[in-house]
Amino acid sequence: MTLNLPGFTHVYSGKVRDLYAPTLEDGTVRDDQVLLVASDRISAFDYVLDTPIPDKGAVLTKLSLWWFEQLGDLVPNHVLSTDVPAEVAGRAVLCQRLEMLPVECVARAYLTGGGLAEYQRDGTVSGVALPPGLVDGSRLPEPIFTPSTKADLGEHDEPIPYAEVERLVGSPRAAAARELTVRILQRGEAIAAERGVIIADTKVEFGIGADGGLVLADEVLTPDSSRFWPADQWEPGRAQPSYDKQFVRDWLLSPASGWDRNSGQAPPALPTEVVEQTRAKYLEAYERITGRSFG
Ligand code: ATP
Ligand code: MG
């Protein structure tokens, strides 16, 4: 899973990314920089699947870089350079290595997924009361901040109240993270809307910069971190077609996979057709949003 990259030492692997730190000539490992390498791994239902999606790592990397530029006036980001070892060219970025806030910063402009479940139960999302009558896919009166824990590998992120974010990172940083997360979603939504894509919700991660301010890190506004919906097919009251892992999730839950989500067993390998459809969706998301051709 980890590569032998000359000049770098492997420091961490998440579900999708592998992190390496530059090694100096005397063998010391730099602690101020990190090479973030996006793999072609895909996760679903909290499992990392055995089957990679070709070019997924490059799509996530290129799309994040494009968004970091669009958001440049709103928030500083961790990118230092895209001059990276040839072996990982196109899917790696040299970044400032930051102390990360221990929360996933989520903002939602539409109601679905975990937010919908809470609303149907309590009429709230992350404790925020919402008007009655909303359904799956409804646009919210205004975007809301719905933070969650940063779960360890194999565990599920749990929603937390805003007061818990304040407790974890202090009130001023919690307020800054909330404000930035919502503004990133709003900017993203506005840009994507011109290209016929709805960004229903998104998750961002912040680190603490040298001046103590928040720096946008990790990935941003990708199909892995956000729900992208084709705008022309948006129809509240049902699950929306989406640009993400829908084919993978649908196939895994179908009888064809032979997999039982509640069995505790890892999911089976994906058939070629599902891999191809999923790859095409990731590429389409990149091309539609950026207006650039991937290849
Ligand atoms: P986890 O790391 O909890 O497994 P994940 O599966 O989403 O979450 P990946 O996206 O695969 O993780 O890995 C990226 C990891 O790198 C995350 O833990 C993220 O917090 C961390 N990270 C991203 N940018 C930086 C940065 N600039 N400095 C330090 N860590 C970073
Ligand atoms: Mg991640």
Side-chain angles (χ1 to χ4, degrees):
M1 187 156 98
T2 63
L3 301 165
N4 204 339
L5 296 175
F8 290 90
T9 302
H10 175 254
V11 290
Y12 179 80
S13 287
K15 288 193 281 294
V16 170
R17 288 175 185 74
D18 302 307
L19 277 57
Y20 299 80
T23 326
L24 300 172
E25 290 198 351
D26 66 1
T28 31
V29 177
R30 288 185 72 141
D31 62 4
D32 60 340
Q33 295 186 351
V34 66
L35 183 72
L36 209 63
V37 181
S39 73
D40 290 340
R41 296 193 290 276
I42 187 165
S43 66
F45 305 114
D46 289 326
Y47 288 96
V48 177
L49 305 184
D50 287 337
T51 322
I53 306 296
D55 294 321
K56 177 174 175 283
V59 167
L60 297 183
T61 301
K62 284 170 194 273
L63 189 54
S64 290
L65 285 168
W66 187 85
W67 279 119
F68 281 129
E69 260 178 49
Q70 314 302 311
L71 300 167
D73 61 315
L74 209 65
V75 57
N77 63 64
H78 69 168
V79 175
L80 292 174
S81 164
T82 52
D83 186 11
V84 299
E87 218 177 325
V88 292
R91 61 185 182 94
V93 181
L94 187 68
C95 301
Q96 298 172 50
R97 187 170 180 180
L98 301 166
E99 185 197 326
M100 302 295 288
L101 297 191
V103 285
E104 311 254 9
C105 294
V106 181
R108 299 169 192 271
Y110 292 74
L111 188 64
T112 191
L116 177 67
E118 182 188 326
Y119 174 78
Q120 288 171 336
R121 202 175 53 238
D122 307 326
T124 60
V125 175
S126 271
V128 181
L130 292 175
L134 301 178
V135 293
D136 193 354
S138 288
R139 185 171 169 83
L140 298 169
E142 57 183 2
I144 51 175
F145 182 58
T146 64
S148 65
T149 56
K150 242 171 93 63
D152 288 332
L153 270 187
E155 278 166 36
H156 203 71
D157 294 337
E158 294 296 337
I160 46 174
Y162 180 68
E164 176 69 4
V165 182
E166 289 185 303
R167 197 189 63 78
L168 285 166
V169 307
S171 293
R173 274 193 185 132
R178 176 171 64 182
E179 157 119 21
L180 282 173
T181 304
V182 167
R183 292 179 70 173
I184 289 166
L185 175 62
Q186 287 174 320
R187 173 76 62 86
E189 264 198 281
I191 293 175
E194 293 167 14
R195 283 119 194 194
V197 176
I198 289 173
I199 303 183
D201 51 34
T202 195
K203 184 229 39 168
V204 291
E205 292 187 35
F206 296 101
I208 299 167
D211 65 355
L214 297 185
V215 176
L216 184 58
D218 204 50
E219 62 179 333
V220 60
L221 296 167
T222 68
D224 272 14
S225 65
S226 321
R227 283 192 174 89
F228 291 166
W229 297 338
D232 59 356
Q233 291 171 59
W234 176 54
E235 200 185 298
R238 58 157 166 91
Q240 311 301 313
S242 74
Y243 278 103
D244 61 358
K245 307 167 183 175
Q246 205 61 55
F247 289 111
V248 172
R249 295 203 193 96
D250 289 351
W251 182 78
L252 285 175
L253 296 179
S254 76
S257 76
W259 183 63
D260 173 5
R261 190 182 171 179
N262 301 312
S263 65
Q265 303 266 325
L270 302 174
T272 315
E273 193 185 270
V274 175
V275 171
E276 263 319 306
Q277 287 172 323
T278 304
R279 175 178 178 275
K281 276 290 161 202
Y282 274 84
L283 262 60
E284 189 187 336
Y286 172 82
E287 295 192 334
R288 261 184 98 160
I289 286 174
T290 65
R292 293 180 183 169
S293 125
F294 175 77

